[in-house]
Amino acid sequence: MNNSHSASYAAAGVDIEAGYKGVQLMKKHVERTMIPGVVSGIGGFGGLFAPDLAGMKKPILVSGTDGVGTKIRVAQLADKHDTIGIDCVAMCVNDIICCGAKPLFFLDYIAIGKNDPEKVASIVQGVAEGCVQAGCALIGGETAEHPGVMNPDDYDLAGFSVGVVDNTKIISNQNMKAGDVILSLSSSGLHSNGFSLVRKVFDIEHADLGKPLDELEGKSLGEALLTPTKIYVKPVLAAIEAARVYGISHITGGGFFENIPRCLPEGLSARIDKSSLKIPAIFSLLQEKGGIPEHDMFNTFNMGAGMILIVDKADVVKAVTALDAAGEAPRVIGEVVSGNGGVELV
């Protein structure tokens, strides 16, 4: 690498050496994610992973990919980059856990206007933290400098994860029936959804992100908006082992009305008791300031319920016990009823 310098490329706006420095700075964060199965370190052309498939009759790979959307603009304005990577991991692993899959590894992609090694390392620090929380390895990624396409301070972040589940343990709704119980796992706030609306309501380009607000229990708007998405992998896996779970929904963009029906079979609907939800203060402030109808709130945001599990009525105590032991505080928020596959709020 000592000879890897192109004056012509640098004149065009791409600093190869800054990229090398970024890789060196991020290595200590990546090392935190190393788990059994990792074959190669970062820096190769491909990330190698040897999964432990012992005990699985028919292992099925499950993949998910996502980014953090326009929440990234809040991170840029606040000049805080060490948690947005958690959001990126969460948006991927929380999806694949809905199939019952355990995440194995993750890769990220950072597009940036001008390569700032310290900033890139800070972003990857968050990605690594998300992988640690999910129990998966960060085995590779890419940082691409885009001069002339992005402003120097701008960047975007996306990633994907691969997990595995035995064919016999894939979450299936074929046994779901009226009377099954709907549990919610609390969200940490807005997570990473609806931020185009959030940014408009709060006029985020001109907002004071650092001022503590009484409406947010002393938190600043920046703190509330940048609170990382909660990662549900470990508690959900514990619940699946302990109880008959017939459906799991990650409540992301589209809120309740789009995501809950994705795990319902034909002929069944979800009846949700609104009073059972513990709704974080940021949602009330957002709804009031934006004059947003209740339907739109539930159709855009998680409203305090980041993950939904549908559990056999006879196994509710088993599921709740397992979730409690995994550090969650699950809430019974409704039940499955006969219907057309929709969501009824009562």
Side-chain angles (χ1 to χ4, degrees):
M1 289 186 185
N2 290 335
N3 293 325
S4 184
H5 173 74
S6 170
S8 299
Y9 211 4
V14 176
D15 188 344
I16 297 175
E17 290 172 292
Y20 296 151
K21 183 179 179 182
V23 171
Q24 292 303 313
L25 291 174
M26 69 178 68
K27 279 186 175 180
K28 64 180 180 181
H29 304 303
V30 176
E31 287 170 358
R32 295 182 59 219
T33 75
M34 295 298 100
I35 60 174
V38 175
V39 176
S40 64
I42 60 170
F45 287 98
L48 306 181
F49 192 90
D52 180 2
L53 305 178
M56 292 190 182
K57 295 181 179 180
K58 187 177 181 181
I60 304 293
L61 295 179
V62 182
S63 60
T65 185
D66 211 338
V68 296
T70 62
K71 181 173 183 174
I72 209 143
R73 182 58 181 158
V74 184
Q76 291 167 356
L77 290 169
D79 195 23
K80 179 174 172 55
H81 314 287
D82 60 345
T83 60
I84 201 74
I86 300 175
D87 292 286
C88 188
V89 175
M91 298 306 290
C92 298
V93 298
N94 285 346
D95 276 357
I96 68 175
I97 192 62
C98 292
C99 301
K102 181 185 186 304
L104 298 174
F105 57 84
F106 187 86
L107 285 86
D108 61 12
Y109 176 84
I110 302 168
I112 192 165
K114 181 175 176 57
N115 199 333
D116 178 336
E118 285 75 18
K119 181 186 289 186
V120 169
S122 185
I123 297 167
V124 174
Q125 178 183 348
V127 174
E129 173 59 27
C131 289
V132 169
Q133 292 182 22
C136 65
L138 177 57
I139 62 170
E142 175 71 12
T143 301
E145 201 167 11
H146 289 174
V149 175
M150 304 174 76
N151 291 325
D153 290 336
D154 286 348
Y155 66 89
D156 200 5
L157 173 65
F160 79 92
S161 183
V162 173
V164 66
V165 61
D166 196 344
N167 186 58
T168 60
K169 293 187 176 182
I170 295 174
I171 300 299
S172 169
N173 62 19
Q174 63 182 2
N175 293 319
M176 192 183 295
K177 58 194 176 300
D180 287 335
V181 173
I182 303 175
L183 298 178
S184 80
L185 304 185
S186 66
S187 71
S188 57
L190 289 165
H191 284 182
S192 300
N193 306 110
F195 269 80
S196 292
L197 176 56
V198 170
R199 289 183 303 113
K200 179 181 178 182
V201 168
F202 290 119
D203 188 17
I204 205 69
E205 296 294 324
H206 305 101
D208 184 346
L209 296 177
K211 179 183 177 181
L213 299 176
D214 292 339
E215 300 94 328
L216 297 177
E217 301 166 347
K219 285 185 177 181
S220 69
L221 182 60
E223 286 178 296
L225 298 185
L226 288 176
T227 300
T229 306
K230 186 184 284 189
I231 292 175
Y232 298 99
V233 170
K234 293 174 183 178
V236 169
L237 287 174
I240 292 170
E241 285 298 314
R244 286 170 289 180
V245 178
Y246 299 141
I248 306 175
S249 285
H250 182 202
I251 309 302
T252 56
F256 281 48
F257 294 112
E258 179 179 321
N259 290 295
I260 295 178
R262 294 168 69 177
C263 75
L264 298 173
E266 186 176 349
L268 295 177
S269 293
R271 179 175 293 156
I272 304 295
D273 177 5
K274 291 183 294 183
S275 67
S276 67
L277 295 168
K278 185 177 181 181
I279 302 176
I282 185 63
F283 293 103
S284 301
L285 179 62
L286 177 65
Q287 183 175 11
E288 179 183 353
K289 188 170 180 62
I292 304 171
E294 179 183 78
H295 177 276
D296 290 2
M297 292 295 294
F298 278 92
N299 199 42
T300 308
F301 304 107
N302 65 64
M303 300 301 285
M307 186 73 76
I308 298 292
L309 280 68
I310 298 179
V311 180
D312 191 291
K313 187 175 183 179
D315 283 2
V316 171
V317 173
K318 293 179 182 178
V320 168
T321 300
L323 290 165
D324 280 339
E328 285 293 331
R331 305 172 75 90
V332 175
I333 65 165
E335 65 175 340
V336 176
V337 297
S338 297
N340 62 0
V343 175
E344 177 185 353
L345 298 178
V346 298

